[in-house]
């Protein structure tokens, strides 16, 4: 989960930012375990290991900015760049101008005896684990713009911390200063100003996103409605990518049927939930009709359609009028809202990335359509930037809703405030700033 990995990364950097006189600290700890003639070589070895850890953190910052952007632009004029685009460009330059190896698996997994090195290892390990969050719900362009700017602010603070530590470690034997940092501080400050001016308070619900351990297997002895909830939850977890148009139609149809079955079984038990299910059935019917004018061959979604079909198959086995736990029906309603929002995001992202196409009618007759009265020729083409399609409009009205959102983790704001305070802190001694 991004909240755990990001929090561990920020806490490790806060500890590093609070440590001064780094060369003296390393020499002191090395001298306890190494003879004097091996101190210099050991110090250079540790410096190179710290550089490998720093490379891991920089790599994650760059990858996160590129892969989590909800509106990526392949070609864009620099005049249209926003602060996150400039920061991403600066990180790209940093990676190219500061090549180097990454730490091995043993370097990331094995605790280090030296305190400074252990803090760098913790930060690099958290950055390496955070790469899995990009494929587990943080990347793929599914973040909201507010969540995206929260992530940009986190990356800006982490990059600034690395810049400060680079200056502080400059006297270490074998240390390599970051090249290409010109203008980096300005891009970092612009990102903070841009996020604050746009939304004010960041959206810390992003900490719930990312990779999660697989859900435990449902016991075969559990009741059927529990298996229905598990199948719908598996469907939600599999909607992190854009399904193909054929699979999207299957999903809309099976979810519509699932809502109908749930409404019949909740009619006498929970009338309020039954009304919600009926409303969802009607909304999915509208989206299904609008999807007839769209096409596309690319995409995934085979596992999602299987999970949706499993939920429908299981719910059919529950007789109408059978007693069902009301809390289970409420949880099913919450899952429906999450699934609808995931389908809406997939539709928007599918058209933005040209996975989905729009059916247009050409102003001429197709003489080879095999019909007696020839019809106008129809083609499928990408959605133009200034164009509109009924599927997007209907999906926004019918599927997009305020999902049931959990409160942000309690440590979300604290760890970010600690890092920002450590980054902006300067220790003054005798008029000198360190």
């Amino acid at each position: 989960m991004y909240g755990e990995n990001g929090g561990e990364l920020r806490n490790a950097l806060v500890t590093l930012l609070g440590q001064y006189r780094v060369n003296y600290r390393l020499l002191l700890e090395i001298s306890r375990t190494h003879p004097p003639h091996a101190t210099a070589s050991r110090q250079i070895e540790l410096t190179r290991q710290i550089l490998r850890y720093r490379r891991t953190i920089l790599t994650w910052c760059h990858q996160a900015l590129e892969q989590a952007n909800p509106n990526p632009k392949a070609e864009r004029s620099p005049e249209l760049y926003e602060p996150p685009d400039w920061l991403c460009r600066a990180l790209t330059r940093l990676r190219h101008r500061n090549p180097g190896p990454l730490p091995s698996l043993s370097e990331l997994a094995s605790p280090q005896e030296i305190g400074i090195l252990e803090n760098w290892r913790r930060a690099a390990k958290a950055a390496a684990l955070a790469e899995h969050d990009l494929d587990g719900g943080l990347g793929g362009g599914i973040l909201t713009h507010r969540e995206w700017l929260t992530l940009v602010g986190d990356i800006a603070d982490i990059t600034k911390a690395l810049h400060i530590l680079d200056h502080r470690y400059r006297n270490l034997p074998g240390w390599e200063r970051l090249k290409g940092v010109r203008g980096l501080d300005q891009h970092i400050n612009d990102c903070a100003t841009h996020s604050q001016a746009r939304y004010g308070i960041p959206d810390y619900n992003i900490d719930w996103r990312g990779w999660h351990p697989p859900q435990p297997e449902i016991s075969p002895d559990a009741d059927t409605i529990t298996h229905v909830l598990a199948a719908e939850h598996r469907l939600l977890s599999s909607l992190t990518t854009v399904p193909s148009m054929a699979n999207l139609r299957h999903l809309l149809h099976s979810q519509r049927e699932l809502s109908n079955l749930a409404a019949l079984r909740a009619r006498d038990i929970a009338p309020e939930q039954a009304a919600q299910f009926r409303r969802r059935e009607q909304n999915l019917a509208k989206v299904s009709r609008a999807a007839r004018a769209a096409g596309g061959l690319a995409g995934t979604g085979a596992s999602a359609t299987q999970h949706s079909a499993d939920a429908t198959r299981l719910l059919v086995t529950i007789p109408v009028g059978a007693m069902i736990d009301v809390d289970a029906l409420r949880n099913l309603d919450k899952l429906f809202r999450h699934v609808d929002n995931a389908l809406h995001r997939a539709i928007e992202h599918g058209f933005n990335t040209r996975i989905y196409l729009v059916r247009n009618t050409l102003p001429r007759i197709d003489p080879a359509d095999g019909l007696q009265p020839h019809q106008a020729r129809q083609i499928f083409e990408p959605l133009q930037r200034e164009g509109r399609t009924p599927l997007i409009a209907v999906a926004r009205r019918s599927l997009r809703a305020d999902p049931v959102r959990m409160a942000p983790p309690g440590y979300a704001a604290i760890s970010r405030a600690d890092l920002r305070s450590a980054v902006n802190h300067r220790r003054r001694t005798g008029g000198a700033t360190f």
Side-chain angles (χ1 to χ4, degrees), residues 103-313:
S104 63
L105 184 60
S106 61
E107 288 179 330
L108 290 174
S110 303
Q112 303 293 327
E113 296 180 355
I114 297 178
I116 293 178
L117 200 64
E118 171 63 14
N119 291 322
W120 276 103
R121 185 196 71 85
R122 286 173 46 212
K125 179 183 176 181
L129 292 175
E131 293 182 3
H132 296 283
D133 295 328
L134 297 174
D135 297 329
L138 198 68
I142 64 175
L143 294 180
T144 65
H145 193 259
R146 189 175 175 184
E147 290 175 336
W148 158 244
L149 289 184
T150 303
L151 178 63
V152 170
D154 294 343
I155 294 173
D157 290 338
I158 293 171
T159 306
K160 190 171 183 179
L162 293 178
H163 192 194
I164 294 173
L165 293 173
D166 175 61
H167 179 74
R168 190 178 298 175
Y169 284 48
R170 65 189 184 278
N171 293 327
L172 283 181
W175 183 258
E176 297 177 6
R177 297 292 302 274
L178 286 173
K179 304 178 183 66
V181 297
R182 184 176 181 180
L184 181 62
D185 285 339
Q186 183 62 42
H187 299 326
I188 291 173
N189 295 332
D190 290 344
C191 286
T193 305
H194 178 69
S195 178
Q196 180 69 24
R198 190 72 181 269
Y199 294 107
I201 301 176
D203 188 358
Y204 294 140
N205 278 284
I206 190 178
D207 284 0
W208 294 117
R209 292 188 178 272
W211 180 85
H212 289 78
Q215 296 294 325
E217 293 292 333
I218 303 298
S219 172
D221 299 334
D223 52 356
T224 307
I225 191 63
T226 303
H227 286 282
V228 173
L229 291 171
E232 193 71 4
H233 192 277
R234 289 193 294 270
L235 164 63
L236 179 61
S237 301
S238 61
L239 285 177
T240 55
T241 57
V242 178
S244 64
M245 182 53 66
N247 288 330
L248 177 65
R249 293 194 181 101
H250 284 300
L251 285 172
L252 294 173
H253 177 74
S254 61
Q255 286 298 297
R256 176 188 174 187
E257 179 64 21
L258 185 63
S259 297
N260 176 44
L261 296 173
L264 290 175
R265 284 149 183 80
R267 181 178 53 195
D268 299 328
I269 304 172
E272 182 179 351
Q273 302 301 326
Q276 295 283 354
F277 297 150
R278 285 297 179 196
R279 192 176 300 110
R280 181 177 188 256
E281 178 190 2
Q282 296 169 3
N283 291 333
L284 289 173
K286 297 176 184 177
V287 180
S288 298
R289 288 192 294 268
R292 298 172 185 171
L297 299 176
T300 59
S303 60
T305 56
Q306 181 63 46
H307 297 322
S308 183
D310 289 342
T312 305
R313 174 181 55 81

Side-chain angles (χ1 to χ4, degrees), residues 328-357:
L329 295 175
R330 292 172 181 167
N331 291 332
L332 185 61
D333 186 24
K334 295 177 183 178
L335 279 173
F336 281 166
R337 276 183 276 174
H338 284 294
V339 169
D340 290 349
N341 278 281
L343 290 173
H344 164 256
R345 289 194 299 266
I347 292 173
E348 293 263 8
H349 189 60
F351 281 107
N352 290 336
T353 55
R354 299 193 171 190
I355 294 178
Y356 294 159
L357 307 175

Side-chain angles (χ1 to χ4, degrees), residues 8 11-17 19 22 24-30 32-33 42 46 49-50 53 110-123 169:
E8 178 66 17
N11 291 335
L13 290 177
V14 168
T15 305
L16 290 171
L17 289 170
Q19 295 174 341
V22 181
Y24 171 76
R25 286 174 176 268
L26 280 179
L27 285 174
L28 185 62
E29 297 196 37
I30 291 173
R32 294 173 179 172
T33 56
R42 177 58 176 166
L46 294 182
Q49 192 169 354
I50 292 175
Y53 287 146
S110 303
Q112 303 293 327
E113 296 180 355
I114 297 178
I116 293 178
L117 200 64
E118 171 63 14
N119 291 322
W120 276 103
R121 185 196 71 85
R122 286 173 46 212
Y169 284 48

Side-chain angles (χ1 to χ4, degrees), residues 333-410:
D333 186 24
K334 295 177 183 178
L335 279 173
F336 281 166
R337 276 183 276 174
H338 284 294
V339 169
D340 290 349
N341 278 281
L343 290 173
H344 164 256
R345 289 194 299 266
I347 292 173
E348 293 263 8
H349 189 60
F351 281 107
N352 290 336
T353 55
R354 299 193 171 190
I355 294 178
Y356 294 159
L357 307 175
V358 182
R359 183 175 63 189
N360 289 326
T361 301
L362 297 180
R364 64 176 181 266
I365 300 301
D366 185 3
D369 60 356
L371 301 175
Q372 185 67 27
H374 299 303
Q375 298 180 356
R377 179 172 295 177
Q378 294 179 337
I379 63 170
F380 287 92
E381 58 184 3
L383 179 66
Q384 300 300 323
R385 184 174 182 180
E386 66 279 359
R388 295 290 184 270
T389 176
L391 180 54
I392 291 181
V394 174
R396 287 177 178 176
R397 291 194 306 266
S398 304
L399 296 181
R400 186 171 59 180
D402 294 331
V404 179
R405 299 174 67 88
M406 295 182 291

